[in-house]
Amino acid sequence: MIPYIINVAYSPQRLIDEIYSEFYGLLFDVILFGIVITFIQISRDNNEIISHQLDIIDDFRDWDDAEASYRILGSIRRLQRIKHYSIDLSGCNLKLVTLRNMYFFNSKMNHVNFIGSTLLNIVFSNYKSNGFICGGKGHLLGCSFDNCKIKFNLQNIGIDNCLFKNVNLDRSLFNLKDITLSIFEEVDFSFGTFKVESSNLCEFINCKFDECVINKNWFDELSDPNNNIVGSESILEKYKLVEENQAHQDKIVKVFKLRSKNITEIPEPPVRMIGTDEVDLTVSPWERIGRCQVFK
């Protein structure tokens, strides 16, 4: 009886089955351990790449040079490839370059210079900028701005197929060639300038234009059915066109503003809340003292 039990317990087939089970268990542990090690190594490599590319951006920050623009653009592309979208580009010059198919989330770009650059299919989400400068032959095409606070300075550029949703653009400067096929939803243009040579196939949804400087004939453009401006009726119903004298470069010029029909007194510009890391350097210190509150 005992030899039979021993023979069954240690039969070749049973030994093979036990070896196979242990082998598969060991193989699974090795694969799992390898995956964990690989993940840690990839994460470490990505952190090194992020740190290195951010250092390059810091090195070329505030450089007004073509090489600096291309080096910074190269670093942005490498960060985008590893899905690092939160980038501080404050003080960077990105002139005469093309930014294509990029995504910026929770980024800071105070006083970024895009003069002469083309921004193609760029998404800005939860984005802050106290100086987004673009002019010359610059162009915004297929860009999206969602949940942003931006102070634009756009000069003589075109905007095509762009979306602005829930964006605070107060005190921004829009001096544009044209706007085409673009949507503005919940956008605040208050106390800024919105001058466009031509606009077509645009839509304005719940936008604010309080005390916004415009072209004298913009009301006519809004009313023109050939321009296909959706939402023009609400703008014409809410605002009236007023003419004022305004100081500009040591002289007095006439400007035309949109003013709400429901107010009785001329409103003052709101206090601009500026964080310690986004000080508005585009206004004089005296204006900052009078109109701005710095918070920590």
Side-chain angles (χ1 to χ4, degrees):
M1 186 67 179
I2 294 176
Y4 173 77
I5 296 173
I6 295 175
N7 185 49
V8 172
Y10 295 97
S11 64
Q13 185 60 44
R14 183 168 182 178
L15 289 174
I16 291 173
D17 292 341
E18 290 183 358
I19 290 173
Y20 270 122
S21 64
E22 291 296 330
F23 174 77
Y24 284 125
L26 179 62
L27 181 61
F28 177 79
D29 291 340
V30 170
I31 293 175
L32 181 61
F33 185 72
I35 292 173
V36 172
I37 293 297
T38 302
F39 178 79
I40 294 174
Q41 186 62 42
I42 291 174
S43 178
R44 182 180 300 171
D45 292 343
N46 285 344
N47 288 336
E48 291 179 357
I49 292 173
I50 291 171
S51 178
H52 178 61
Q53 298 305 323
L54 293 179
D55 285 342
I56 292 176
I57 293 174
D58 283 336
D59 290 340
F60 288 94
R61 198 183 305 274
D62 296 319
W63 279 36
D64 187 7
D65 185 80
E67 180 184 355
S69 297
Y70 284 104
R71 291 293 295 272
I72 292 173
L73 179 59
S75 293
I76 295 173
R77 287 172 175 166
R78 284 183 281 274
L79 290 171
Q80 294 277 317
R81 281 199 292 267
I82 59 175
K83 303 185 185 306
H84 183 80
Y85 304 122
S86 180
I87 309 173
D88 185 359
L89 294 175
S90 299
C92 290
N93 283 290
L94 287 163
K95 299 189 299 183
L96 301 173
V97 296
T98 298
L99 284 78
R100 184 190 306 268
N101 301 328
M102 293 181 177
Y103 176 60
F104 295 98
F105 174 76
N106 204 23
S107 297
K108 296 178 182 178
M109 297 187 185
N110 295 327
H111 306 287
V112 180
N113 191 342
F114 292 105
I115 290 178
S117 295
T118 297
L119 278 67
L120 178 61
N121 194 27
I122 309 295
V123 176
F124 299 90
S125 180
N126 201 31
Y127 160 85
K128 293 182 180 180
S129 173
N130 231 355
F132 187 110
I133 305 169
C134 189
K137 297 181 180 179
H139 203 86
L140 302 183
L141 178 60
C143 295
S144 173
F145 298 86
D146 179 31
N147 192 30
C148 300
K149 183 176 182 180
I150 308 171
K151 188 172 182 180
F152 275 121
N153 186 348
L154 307 182
Q155 296 281 357
N156 200 32
I157 71 168
I159 296 179
D160 295 331
N161 288 276
C162 290
L163 171 65
F164 297 78
K165 184 176 181 181
N166 190 25
V167 184
N168 185 345
L169 302 178
D170 67 274
R171 301 192 184 185
S172 291
L173 179 62
F174 283 74
N175 279 328
L176 307 178
K177 287 183 178 179
D178 55 72
I179 298 180
T180 308
L181 288 168
S182 296
I183 297 175
F184 300 85
E185 182 177 354
E186 301 286 348
V187 178
D188 189 352
F189 294 98
S190 299
F191 299 94
T193 298
F194 190 80
K195 293 184 177 181
V196 186
E197 293 182 11
S198 65
S199 52
N200 191 24
L201 295 170
C202 295
E203 185 171 357
F204 295 92
I205 305 171
N206 297 328
C207 295
K208 292 178 63 178
F209 289 91
D210 298 341
E211 301 301 309
C212 182
V213 176
I214 62 170
N215 293 326
K216 182 179 180 180
N217 62 340
W218 196 53
F219 268 13
D220 298 331
E221 293 183 8
L222 287 175
S223 304
D224 190 345
N226 294 324
N227 291 332
N228 299 298
I229 307 297
V230 178
S232 59
E233 297 84 0
S234 62
I235 298 175
L236 296 172
E237 181 180 348
K238 182 178 180 181
Y239 293 99
K240 61 184 178 181
L241 186 66
V242 298
E243 180 180 344
E244 284 188 354
N245 293 324
Q246 191 175 83
H248 179 69
Q249 295 181 353
D250 299 328
K251 62 181 180 180
I252 303 298
V253 296
K254 290 183 178 181
V255 297
F256 298 90
K257 293 183 176 181
L258 291 179
R259 182 167 296 162
S260 175
K261 295 179 180 179
N262 299 325
I263 65 171
T264 57
E265 297 182 359
I266 300 176
E268 290 288 334
V271 173
R272 187 175 178 87
M273 301 297 291
I274 300 174
T276 54
D277 60 343
E278 49 179 326
V279 175
D280 188 352
L281 301 178
T282 62
V283 298
S284 69
W286 305 110
E287 184 177 349
R288 289 205 298 273
I289 292 173
R291 288 291 171 200
C292 302
Q293 296 177 2
V294 178
F295 64 91
K296 297 182 179 180

